[in-house]
Amino acid sequence: MSTSSPHTHSDNAVATIMRKVLYALIPGILLSTYFFGIGVLVNCVLATAFALILEASILKIRRQTIRPVITDGTAIITAILFALTISPYTPWWATFTGIAFAIVIAKHLFGGLGNNPFNPAMAGYVFVLLSFPVQMAYWPDLSGLTEQGLTIGQSISIIFSGLPIELDAVSGATPLTNMKLELGLMTMVSEIKSSPLYGTFGGTGWEWVALAYLAGVIFLIINKVIRWEIPLCVLGSIFIVSLLFNFIDTDVFPSALFHLLTGGTMLCAFFIATDPASSSTTPRGKIIYGIGVGLFIYVIRTWGSYPDGIAFAILIMNGIVPLIDYYTRPKALGEK
């Protein structure tokens, strides 16, 4: 999110940046909690606690100083981003598994902060998504068709005790999942969006959460925490390609605003894709990287097996970053 890799900053500089990123995430966290339930906050707290404990443990095993690393805020941001991508009903053990993979494997196995080629939060998310698809599939039903939702106590009980059969009665598909399933049944987009699951532009609730992340990023831009290239290219590529296909056939391809304001698009563009350790570091490379992330998100959403695709898009482009940086690095003075 800063303009260069974290290890080029002092510990205080990294901690300051991470603290500002956390502040920017607060509007999205609060609205996510409002629409999706207390499970969002519980997941954030659990993931943060697990991340700090695991970070301290692995640092002790590696015989490195613990305090400066766990106080720089990077583990906390990884935990929060992971928690915001999983279902509010995710069992605690699945959260622990994902965070363990993110911190121990995706971060420290590669040498720690600044050396990890893959975004730890997204690596952890993909690991639990592939390992526990059933537990990750339950989301609150925001269509308004159920008579009642879960109480705070019931939501907490699900996280710590498991997923009861009764959860089927109050849970439902996300807008992206429902859109993909209905399109697969040859239902037209206009008919699909007549459901209460969808709002004015995107999914009910999801569009407001997306706007909350957009509001938070204004704070980051004002404080010069992130640059424009990657976020603009992620959003721009999604907007342009979805606008093009929607123009070709409005009955088969959802609108550009639907893609921007539904799912994790805004969270990805501003808080995940901009991770300095795993994204491109060259000026032209940032543009290529951002465009690639946006295109892969659209391709996976439209023709892939998964409804959102942000995590897979990020990890794919993370793997291509060394090649991008190699061919876009500025030439040294006198170099041909």
Side-chain angles (χ1 to χ4, degrees):
M1 294 164 189
S2 55
T3 57
S4 58
S5 298
H7 58 278
T8 62
H9 294 276
S10 67
D11 292 335
N12 288 336
V14 173
T16 299
I17 292 172
M18 293 301 105
R19 185 167 61 250
K20 291 178 179 178
V21 171
L22 182 59
Y23 294 158
L25 283 167
I26 289 175
I29 294 173
L30 293 178
L31 273 186
S32 294
T33 303
Y34 174 77
F35 285 109
F36 305 128
I38 195 66
V40 174
L41 280 181
V42 175
N43 284 342
C44 287
V45 172
L46 282 178
T48 299
F50 291 150
L52 292 176
I53 292 172
L54 288 166
E55 181 107 299
S57 300
I58 200 70
L59 286 169
K60 186 173 182 179
I61 293 173
R62 296 179 62 193
R63 298 180 180 180
Q64 293 187 2
T65 306
I66 296 176
R67 183 178 177 82
V69 178
I70 65 171
T71 57
D72 64 13
T74 55
I76 295 175
I77 295 300
T78 294
I80 296 297
L81 292 176
F82 172 86
L84 291 175
T85 57
I86 61 176
S87 163
Y89 301 142
T90 301
W92 68 269
W93 49 265
T95 300
F96 175 81
T97 302
I99 291 297
F101 189 89
I103 297 297
V104 179
I105 305 299
K107 182 178 180 180
H108 283 283
L109 186 65
F110 290 96
L113 180 62
N115 297 307
N116 51 288
F118 298 98
N119 184 285
M122 292 301 94
Y125 172 78
V126 168
F127 183 76
V128 295
L129 179 63
L130 297 177
S131 301
F132 317 116
V134 174
Q135 287 76 11
M136 299 286 283
Y138 287 94
W139 280 84
D141 184 3
L142 301 185
S143 67
L145 299 179
T146 56
E147 295 183 0
Q148 62 182 3
L150 297 173
T151 65
I152 293 177
Q154 288 174 323
S155 296
I156 294 176
S157 177
I158 289 172
I159 293 173
F160 289 99
S161 302
L163 301 174
I165 298 177
E166 293 79 8
L167 188 59
D168 289 323
V170 293
S171 64
T174 65
L176 285 173
T177 300
N178 181 73
M179 180 66 73
K180 180 176 283 291
L181 291 174
E182 291 294 333
L183 286 174
L185 297 174
M186 306 302 291
T187 309
M188 294 188 298
V189 171
S190 57
E191 294 176 341
I192 298 172
K193 292 196 68 178
S194 64
S195 166
L197 186 61
Y198 301 91
T200 305
F201 300 108
T204 298
W206 292 87
E207 55 191 359
W208 292 107
V209 174
L211 292 175
Y213 289 131
L214 181 59
V217 86
I218 295 175
F219 170 78
L220 296 182
I221 294 174
I222 292 174
N223 285 271
K224 299 180 180 180
V225 175
I226 64 172
R227 291 179 57 87
W228 62 269
E229 292 95 339
I230 291 178
L232 182 62
C233 289
V234 171
L235 298 179
S237 58
I238 293 176
F239 181 83
I240 292 172
V241 71
S242 57
L243 186 67
L244 174 62
F245 278 96
N246 179 253
F247 177 78
I248 294 173
D249 193 339
T250 58
D251 291 331
V252 176
F253 302 102
S255 69
L257 287 178
F258 174 80
H259 281 285
L260 293 182
L261 298 176
T262 309
T265 305
M266 292 294 178
L267 182 66
C268 170
F270 296 120
F271 298 97
I272 299 175
T274 51
D275 172 32
S278 57
S279 62
S280 179
T281 58
T282 67
R284 284 189 299 156
K286 291 177 184 292
I287 295 174
I288 297 172
Y289 174 80
I291 292 174
V293 169
L295 291 179
F296 273 117
I297 288 175
Y298 185 81
V299 168
I300 294 171
R301 284 182 177 182
T302 306
W303 297 286
S305 301
Y306 293 91
D308 201 333
I310 62 170
F312 293 100
I314 289 292
L315 295 180
I316 290 171
M317 290 308 297
N318 286 165
I320 303 176
V321 160
L323 188 65
I324 295 174
D325 283 353
Y326 178 80
Y327 283 104
T328 61
R329 71 188 190 280
K331 291 184 179 181
L333 186 61
E335 182 180 357
K336 296 182 178 181

